């Protein structure tokens, strides 16, 4: 695959969150200027929460074209939206209720039906939104991903059959912590993005970051991310990047 990879290392999680928010603002402005709207898929977990909260505050909130910004989710747990395990619920509390967009621009994954039916419903939402691209895989302007210490991304965990899916864009899966039913975008959809940004912090993930970025011969889900003709940015704090070789440190932007 041909894609541009950039490694950005920040001194701490707060500076990392600011960089992630700046990427959001720049991508939104560029996408609206070129295509009239901005499509972004976000992830759950603790790491992106600082960025999400920043998006609802100055200066970021004033520089985002919210009226033309459409928010999607990379994955979701099949739990109540009020649960602290809900990715949508967390994002709603952190920034969605605080910014000037409409409900029609927030494309959440619901699990009101069975997981399998819910996955089909979300794929239809994607098909309807990207209708002008119906003959090919939808292409998000920006996707944020986290990574677990086991190398999982979204709800794509090591050893699962979903990692080899070629046709479906969204699938039901069970696993992770908590071990619940989930709905997740698949690799064909994720890798079609114009820009993918990994947000990773902490020493617990340093070894996995090293294995993925230094090309260790493993079969980790994170190693399967590489958007053809797109950009891939690894945004790391110092602790997550602590085991990287000096050659990779040369890619850093402080």
């Amino acid at each position: 695959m041909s894609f541009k990879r950039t490694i950005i290392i920040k001194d701490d999680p707060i500076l990392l969150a600011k960089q992630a928010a700046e990427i959001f603002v720049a991508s939104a402005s560029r996408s609206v200027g070129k295509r009239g709207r901005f499509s972004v898929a976000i992830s759950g977990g603790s790491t992106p929460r600082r960025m999400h909260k920043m998006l609802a505050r100055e200066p970021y909130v004033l520089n985002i074209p919210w009226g033309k910004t459409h928010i999607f989710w990379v994955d979701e747990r099949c739990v109540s939206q009020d649960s602290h395990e809900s990715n949508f619920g967390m994002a709603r509390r952190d920034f969605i209720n605080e910014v000037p967009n409409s409900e029609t621009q927030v494309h959440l994954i619901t699990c009101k039906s069975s997981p399998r039916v819910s996955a089909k419903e979300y794929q239809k939402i994607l098909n309807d939104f990207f209708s002008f691209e119906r003959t090919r895989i939808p292409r998000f302007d920006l996707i944020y991903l986290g990574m677990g210490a086991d190398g999982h991304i979204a709800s794509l965990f090591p050893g699962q059959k979903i990692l080899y899916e070629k046709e479906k864009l969204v699938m039901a899966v069970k696993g992770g912590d908590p071990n619940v039913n989930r709905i997740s975008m698949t690799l064909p959809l994720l890798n079609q993005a114009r820009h993918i940004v990994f947000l990773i912090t902490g020493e617990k993930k340093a070894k996995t970051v090293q294995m993925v970025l230094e090309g260790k011969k493993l079969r980790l889900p994170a190693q399967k991310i590489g958007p053809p003709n797109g950009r891939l940015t690894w945004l790391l704090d110092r602790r997550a990047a602590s085991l990287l070789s000096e050659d990779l440190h040369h890619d850093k932007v402080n």
Side-chain angles (χ1 to χ4, degrees), residues 167-182:
E167 301 289 334
K168 297 177 182 177
L169 306 182
V170 184
M171 289 185 66
V173 65
K174 187 175 182 181
D177 182 15
N179 185 16
V180 296
N181 289 315
R182 300 160 180 259

Side-chain angles (χ1 to χ4, degrees), residues 4-221:
K4 180 181 178 181
R5 186 183 77 178
T6 302
I7 300 171
I8 300 175
I9 302 171
K10 292 296 180 179
D11 284 333
D12 58 59
I14 294 176
L15 292 176
L16 179 144
K18 288 182 178 180
Q19 180 72 45
E22 290 169 6
I23 291 173
F24 190 107
V25 172
S27 182
S29 177
R30 182 170 54 251
S31 299
V32 169
K34 289 185 176 182
R35 290 174 288 279
R37 67 182 184 182
F38 173 49
S39 59
V40 57
I42 62 176
S43 294
S46 59
T47 301
R49 295 194 68 185
R50 289 185 181 88
M51 178 196 75
H52 291 166
K53 292 177 180 179
M54 288 179 181
L55 295 178
R57 301 198 302 262
E58 295 184 14
Y60 308 108
V61 68
L62 301 178
N63 293 315
I64 295 170
W66 292 108
K68 297 180 180 180
T69 294
H70 291 262
I71 301 171
F72 295 78
W73 270 260
V74 167
D75 67 328
E76 183 59 281
R77 303 176 180 103
C78 290
V79 296
S80 166
Q81 292 178 7
D82 295 324
S83 168
H84 70 282
E85 299 290 353
S86 168
N87 291 340
F88 165 71
M90 189 178 299
R92 179 180 58 188
R93 293 187 292 273
D94 287 344
F95 80 103
I96 288 175
N97 282 351
E98 307 298 325
V99 300
N101 62 358
S102 69
E103 291 184 0
T104 60
Q105 295 166 245
V106 179
H107 308 274
L108 66 156
I109 301 173
T110 63
C111 286
K112 295 179 180 179
S113 306
S114 70
R116 184 173 295 183
V117 172
S118 296
K120 290 181 179 179
E121 291 172 348
Y122 204 61
Q123 178 152 335
K124 184 179 186 305
I125 288 173
L126 294 174
N127 288 342
D128 291 344
F129 180 81
F130 292 99
S131 58
F132 67 98
E133 295 182 348
R134 190 176 293 276
T135 58
R136 58 184 185 271
I137 296 175
R139 193 173 193 194
F140 280 93
D141 295 310
L142 179 63
I143 292 179
Y144 288 97
L145 291 176
M147 183 188 73
D150 62 353
H152 85 264
I153 54 170
S155 285
L156 310 181
F157 298 94
Q160 292 183 328
K161 291 182 180 180
I162 191 173
L163 294 173
Y164 304 98
E165 177 60 40
K166 303 295 185 184
E167 301 289 334
K168 297 177 182 177
L169 306 182
V170 184
M171 289 185 66
V173 65
K174 187 175 182 181
D177 182 15
N179 185 16
V180 296
N181 289 315
R182 300 160 180 259
I183 310 299
S184 181
M185 293 183 179
T186 61
L187 289 169
L189 176 56
L190 295 173
N191 276 328
Q192 197 59 28
R194 293 182 172 88
H195 190 185
I196 296 175
V197 178
F198 273 103
L199 300 179
I200 304 175
T201 62
E203 289 178 323
K204 291 183 179 179
K205 299 180 181 179
K207 185 62 177 178
T208 310
V209 167
Q210 179 193 39
M211 289 189 294
V212 173
L213 290 180
E214 295 186 0
K216 304 295 183 181
K217 292 184 179 180
L218 301 172
R219 295 183 178 181
L220 300 179

